[in-house]
Amino acid sequence: MSRTARIVSDVMTHTVVAVGREAPFKEIVRTLEQWKVSALPVLAGEGRVIGVVSEADLLPKEEFRDSDPARLSQLRDLPGIAKAGAVSAGELMTSPAITVHANATLAEAARIMTHRRVKRLPVVDGEGRLEGIVSRADLLKVFLRPDEEIEDEVRREVVAHLFPAPGQAVEVRVSEGVVTLTGHVRDAVLIPAAARLIRAVEGVVDFDNQLTTTHLTAGPPA
């Protein structure tokens, strides 16, 4: 059964603004403002991603502006305090960068973002060189897929394989990404498999099972 799982390269932004390790504080702020982004990859060597500098990395400069200098020196090992005194991307950046490869699935990228609590991921090649960037908004683009396209894939890739005729008549309807199967099938054991496959289709929001069966799975003894 073929699948059409989309990958990061399908949705990522290919043109990415980045800065070098030596980029000064104010240049970083200007670049963020100019490009209307909230974070920048930091590059070294032949375009290798060595970190990411974000608005959150810059804020300690303002947060600790009116703090007691003597107190700051005592707390110099704290990350926020250290960044308050930083003046370049290399000092400010979060490193190592959390990245993803272009051939990763969107589900894989989403899991990385969720587990690492980041809003975007630099996309790198096998040598760690920058190829693009993918954001949460990019991953959500799959839910813009037309209902008709989802319906066609479910009918072709799921229903046709699990519930072939004769003796089974399954209809597929998709509304706002919710897939509904109606009709009659011979074996109830295939319904959970259909649910898993349907939910794996890009753009599906949920699955509503309205199927009836001839042979029901036996329940526990009375």
Side-chain angles (χ1 to χ4, degrees), residues 96-125:
I98 302 167
T99 62
V100 69
H101 292 293
N103 61 357
T105 66
L106 301 191
E108 290 169 340
R111 283 193 289 270
I112 294 172
M113 286 187 188
T114 300
H115 294 161
R116 303 303 295 270
R117 298 183 180 181
V118 295
K119 297 178 181 179
R120 68 202 59 76
L121 295 168
V123 183
V124 299
D125 64 13

Side-chain angles (χ1 to χ4, degrees), residues 69-171:
R71 179 62 175 162
L72 290 183
S73 64
Q74 296 173 20
L75 301 175
R76 186 60 62 184
D77 59 325
L78 297 180
I81 300 296
K83 291 190 177 186
V87 296
S88 68
E91 297 170 331
L92 289 157
M93 69 183 181
T94 298
S95 181
I98 302 167
T99 62
V100 69
H101 292 293
N103 61 357
T105 66
L106 301 191
E108 290 169 340
R111 283 193 289 270
I112 294 172
M113 286 187 188
T114 300
H115 294 161
R116 303 303 295 270
R117 298 183 180 181
V118 295
K119 297 178 181 179
R120 68 202 59 76
L121 295 168
V123 183
V124 299
D125 64 13
E127 302 299 321
R129 292 185 293 261
L130 183 66
E131 291 191 321
I133 198 159
V134 63
S135 68
R136 292 175 178 175
D138 292 327
L139 299 185
L140 292 174
K141 289 176 183 177
V142 296
F143 294 106
L144 298 177
R145 192 179 185 195
D147 287 341
E148 295 78 9
E149 188 175 309
I150 297 172
E151 181 177 313
D152 179 68
E153 180 173 346
V154 170
R155 184 178 292 110
R156 184 181 67 251
E157 301 293 344
V158 180
V159 172
H161 289 273
L162 291 182
F163 309 116
Q168 301 182 110
V170 176
E171 295 185 3

Side-chain angles (χ1 to χ4, degrees), residues 174-222:
V174 182
S175 177
E176 293 296 313
V178 178
V179 178
T180 302
L181 296 189
T182 58
H184 182 81
V185 298
R186 292 195 300 265
D187 197 343
V189 75
L190 293 177
I191 295 176
R196 287 193 298 272
L197 291 172
I198 288 170
R199 289 193 171 100
V201 171
E202 301 289 358
V204 168
V205 174
D206 200 3
F207 169 57
D208 181 16
N209 173 39
Q210 298 293 328
L211 295 170
T212 60
T213 60
T214 301
H215 298 103
L216 300 177
T217 302

